[in-house]
Amino acid sequence: MLTSLRSSLRTARLEGLRCEHRAAILGRLEASGRPVRVAAYVLAGPGRERQADVELLARYAERMGWKVAGSSFADVGEPPPLAGRAGFAAACRYAAQGYAHGILALARPALTTDNDAYAHVLEYLHTRGVFLDYPPSAPTP
């Protein structure tokens, strides 16, 4: 029970950190007057499911006033370990090279439910000036 509580608290702290990073990056962009550009990342096979997921992320970005990159990124199948996701790695590189300010995913579980891996992703993106975001209805672990 105590381990579960610690995990839940860490998950909440990481979500707070993600939101802080997002707010800081968006604040800097707003102050500079630059438009926000985002890249969509989904965990779905090719076809209708992937297209529907990308469209959902595009609608969210549009509501936020953000521009979606022409390229989207995806991994297929059951969630492999984060380190083995070529699509997510490509999205991170794309954004870190300055082509996007943020990465949009459907929910945290589409990336990882492992808090250590998630903390590493947040740190990697934040040090490169990239935020991570989900539509507001996204469930949390």
Side-chain angles (χ1 to χ4, degrees), residues 8-138:
S8 294
L9 289 173
R10 182 145 190 244
T11 297
R13 282 196 300 265
L14 288 170
E15 179 60 14
L17 185 62
R18 181 190 68 79
C19 291
E20 286 176 26
H21 290 173
R22 176 185 176 269
I25 292 166
L26 291 174
R28 285 193 300 271
L29 289 168
E30 184 178 316
S32 73
R34 294 171 50 202
V36 177
R37 295 181 321 272
V38 293
Y41 169 78
V42 296
L43 183 61
R48 288 186 175 180
E49 181 185 1
R50 181 183 295 180
Q51 186 60 34
D53 289 351
V54 170
E55 287 173 4
L56 182 108
L57 293 173
R59 285 192 303 273
Y60 171 65
E62 185 178 323
R63 285 192 309 271
M64 298 300 293
W66 301 340
K67 301 194 180 302
V68 179
S71 299
S72 62
F73 302 88
D75 287 301
V76 180
E78 288 299 312
L82 201 52
R85 294 192 192 186
F88 186 68
C92 290
R93 284 191 307 275
Y94 181 84
Q97 291 171 354
Y99 296 111
H101 302 106
I103 297 173
L104 297 183
L106 290 179
R108 178 182 164 181
L111 302 177
T112 183
T113 56
D114 178 81
N115 281 333
D116 290 335
Y118 192 61
H120 178 74
V121 166
L122 292 177
E123 181 179 339
Y124 174 87
L125 293 175
H126 183 65
T127 59
R128 287 156 179 81
V130 177
F131 67 88
L132 179 62
D133 201 18
Y134 317 111
S137 62

